[in-house]
Each structure stands twice: as structure tokens, then as C-alpha cells.
Amino acid sequence: MRHGIVPLLLLFSVPAYAQGGRDWSTRDRVVIGDFTRITSIAAAQDRVYATSPTSLVIWNPQFRQWDAPITPTDPTLLERVFTALIDPLDNSLWLGRVDGWVHFQPSIQSWDRGLVPGGVQEIAFDMDQPIAGLFIRSGGAWLLVPR
């Protein structure tokens, strides 16, 4: 009989901070993903992006804080990422995948992607004409992903 009372007492003695998160701000509620394997890093003066096969995090050096991990709507989107660049015009993130590219715009939480026949070897911006878009080297040629 005693064994049945102890679990019942434990059930009703849960501290207030552990009962639901309605009083916690969204800034204090974060689910941390698995970042034991970093697949790409891209840095600018005001932010650093890091990707894992499942999530993206953003470091804000000015405030010395990480933003909450961001998970794309398509869970496979970050699986084959191997390189990253920050767009010099809008600070969005361009990612190179083995089979294409991914573009993340943090201001509107938008994800775009495209496939590249022959695969991606590297990505770059022309700093003389950054408005042109992202250049992708595939095989022996450079392709342009316009804005």
C-alpha cells in the first residue's frame, strides 16, 4: 500500500517552475539541437551562422548571445550542406549542398532551395557586383543563381 502512495505524492509535489511554461518568456524557452557535428560556418561583422545536419544557429557577437536554434520546414534541407556564405547585401545565408543550394532569409524566416545538375563544388559572390546573385561552380563551369 505504501508503494502506491509515494508516486502519487511525487506527482502532486512538482515545483511550480516545472509545471508548464506559460509564465516563461519565449527568450527563456529554447530547445537545443544536436550540434556535435558542425557542417558549415559563415561569419560577418554582426553575426555568425553555424549549421548542423538538422538545425541552424546564429551568434550575435555584439550582445554575446546565441539565437534559438532554427529548424527548416523540410527536415532534410541541411543534411548535405558543406559550405556557407553570408550575402553581402542583406546578411541572409547561402548554403552549398552536395546537390544544390539553400538560401535562408532570417528577417522573414524564409527557406529556398535549388538543385544543380552535376553537383556543387563551391559557392561565391562577385564583390564587384554583389547584386548579381550567387555563383556556383559545378563541373567545369560557373552558374549564377539570380536574386
Side-chain angles (χ1 to χ4, degrees), residues 30-98:
V30 175
V31 176
I32 304 297
D34 179 7
F35 283 90
T36 55
R37 188 168 151 240
I38 300 298
T39 56
S40 71
I41 297 174
Q45 288 184 339
D46 65 338
R47 68 187 69 187
V48 177
Y49 292 100
T51 62
S52 77
T54 59
S55 303
L56 164 73
V57 288
I58 304 171
W59 169 252
N60 184 330
Q62 180 182 1
F63 299 108
R64 295 177 174 240
Q65 69 182 23
W66 290 97
D67 291 347
I70 301 165
T71 304
T73 51
D74 177 358
T76 64
L77 204 57
L78 300 174
E79 282 181 357
R80 302 178 76 192
V81 168
F82 69 93
T83 188
L85 286 175
I86 295 179
D87 193 310
L89 295 183
D90 64 3
N91 281 336
S92 61
L93 179 66
W94 289 88
L95 301 168
R97 289 175 40 115
V98 173

Side-chain angles (χ1 to χ4, degrees), residues 10 27 32 36 43 46 53 56 84 89 107 116 118 126 128 130 135 144:
L10 289 176
R27 184 177 172 166
I32 304 297
T36 55
D46 65 338
L56 164 73
L89 295 183
S107 58
V116 176
D126 180 351
D128 290 335
F135 286 90
L144 176 63

